[in-house]
């Protein structure tokens, strides 16, 4: 994550004082977890619901368990972006809001104070209208197309609400497995996971492709190889489940 952070600073021509590493690390972990096909197993579909995360929380609160190959919640792009922006603010990072690059699509944008004007970092919670290689900080959308981006301030769920313990345990376990992997490896695993979640790829097929990808990773990239090992093991386990 540190290497990806340094690359973002360079591409945005910003200093560490302007873009603190702790804020970046939290938002990047949140992005990889909550994006479509990310490791919290959220899945995109057209829902025609309002641009908030209420329905995601409702699905999570009714879910009594989770598996590495099962969807935890289904939501549209604006709902996923609202969830991201809501959790960003609840985690202490300000000025994350919603951006409409087109009339029928939504992503999140992080605004950072800088000179001569603020910096806007696009957070693509889905790959819609983007390539498979577009990720955190993509230049695939121009965030200045929208005159103002307001911080998402809606309270989508009460502070004292509780999620099922088994689901929370799944989320935390997924964080432990994948949070240290590089953005590139997480992107490749996301593509495979998304295929499993939407049914276009079998778990056994995804496991074989993941193994081939892992074999091409240098032995020195321990965190990436470990993340792939968890991913492959979970896919193989799911194919053996009764």
């Amino acid at each position: 994550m540190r290497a990806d952070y340094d690359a973002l600073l360079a591409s945005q021509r910003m200093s560490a004082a302007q873009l603190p590493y702790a804020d970046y690390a939290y938002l990047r972990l949140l992005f990889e977890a909550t994006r479509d096909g990310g490791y919290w197993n959220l899945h995109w579909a057209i829902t025609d619901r309002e641009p908030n995360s209420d329905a995601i929380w409702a699905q999570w609160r009714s879910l009594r368990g989770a598996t590495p190959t099962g969807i935890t919640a289904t939501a549209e792009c604006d709902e996923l972006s609202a969830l991201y922006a809501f959790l960003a603010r609840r985690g202490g990072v300000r000025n994350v809001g919603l951006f409409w690059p087109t009339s029928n699509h939504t992503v999140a944008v992080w605004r950072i104070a800088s000179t001569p004007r603020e910096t806007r970092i696009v957070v693509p919670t889905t790959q819609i209208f983007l390539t498979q290689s577009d990720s955190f900080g993509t230049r695939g959308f121009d965030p200045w197309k929208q005159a103002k981006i307001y911080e998402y301030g809606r309270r989508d769920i009460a502070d004292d609400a509780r999620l099922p313990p088994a689901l929370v345990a799944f989320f935390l376990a997924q964080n432990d497995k994948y949070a240290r992997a590089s953005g590139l490896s997480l992107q490749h695993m996301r593509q495979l996971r998304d295929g499993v979640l939407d049914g276009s790829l079998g778990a056994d097929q995804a496991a074989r492709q993941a193994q081939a990808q892992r074999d091409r990773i240098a032995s020195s990239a321990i965190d990436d190889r470990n993340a792939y090992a968890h991913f492959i093991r979970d896919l193989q386990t799911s194919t053996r489940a009764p």
Side-chain angles (χ1 to χ4, degrees):
M1 190 174 288
R2 175 68 69 170
D4 291 341
Y5 169 70
D6 291 339
L8 184 65
L9 286 182
S11 69
Q12 296 290 343
R13 299 181 180 178
M14 299 184 72
S15 68
Q18 293 170 312
L19 197 163
Y21 178 70
D23 289 355
Y24 169 82
Y26 175 66
L27 290 192
R28 183 57 187 267
L29 182 148
L30 192 62
F31 166 69
E32 299 293 357
T34 62
R35 66 191 302 198
D36 171 38
Y39 54 74
W40 282 4
N41 289 21
L42 286 149
H43 181 58
W44 175 88
I46 295 174
T47 64
D48 293 325
R49 293 190 288 248
E50 293 297 314
N52 58 59
S53 63
D54 296 24
I56 296 175
W57 291 103
Q59 291 174 77
W60 279 349
R61 295 184 76 180
S62 66
L63 195 64
R64 293 295 172 253
T67 66
T69 56
I71 296 170
T72 63
T74 299
E76 207 161 349
C77 54
D78 52 358
E79 298 175 274
L80 294 172
S81 298
L83 174 70
Y84 181 83
F86 170 74
L87 288 175
R89 183 182 174 97
R90 299 304 294 146
V93 182
R94 304 297 301 269
N95 297 320
V96 178
L98 306 186
F99 167 54
W100 281 261
T102 67
S103 61
N104 61 347
H105 184 48
T106 312
V107 296
V109 166
W110 181 21
R111 295 187 296 109
I112 303 169
S114 59
T115 55
R117 66 176 183 176
E118 68 183 20
T119 297
R120 295 182 175 183
I121 296 176
V122 177
V123 185
T125 49
T126 70
Q127 300 300 124
I128 297 170
F129 300 134
L130 296 170
T131 70
Q132 287 296 324
S133 61
D134 282 294
S135 189
F136 193 98
T138 178
R139 300 298 181 97
F141 295 132
D142 177 10
W144 291 98
K145 183 179 179 180
Q146 186 170 304
K148 289 188 178 295
I149 296 175
Y150 297 96
E151 181 179 47
Y152 188 84
R154 189 176 183 275
R155 186 65 59 88
D156 289 354
I157 191 170
D159 287 345
D160 60 355
R162 294 291 182 268
L163 295 179
L167 181 62
V168 174
F170 172 76
F171 286 164
L172 295 178
Q174 293 290 91
N175 289 352
D176 289 341
K177 291 174 183 177
Y178 300 111
R180 292 181 179 274
S182 69
L184 182 60
S185 287
L186 289 172
Q187 184 80 326
H188 288 162
M189 284 184 277
R190 187 211 67 82
Q191 293 167 17
L192 296 176
R193 186 184 296 107
D194 195 47
V196 174
L197 295 180
D198 68 18
S200 63
L201 195 64
D204 54 342
Q205 295 173 293
R208 288 196 295 271
Q209 292 185 35
Q211 184 61 62
Q213 292 174 7
R214 184 177 188 269
D215 290 343
R216 293 192 291 269
I217 296 174
S219 58
S220 59
I222 297 173
D223 290 330
D224 280 13
R225 292 181 63 85
N226 286 345
Y228 263 103
H230 287 299
F231 185 62
I232 294 165
R233 188 179 305 114
D234 285 343
L235 289 171
Q236 293 173 335
T237 300
S238 70
T239 63
R240 295 194 295 266

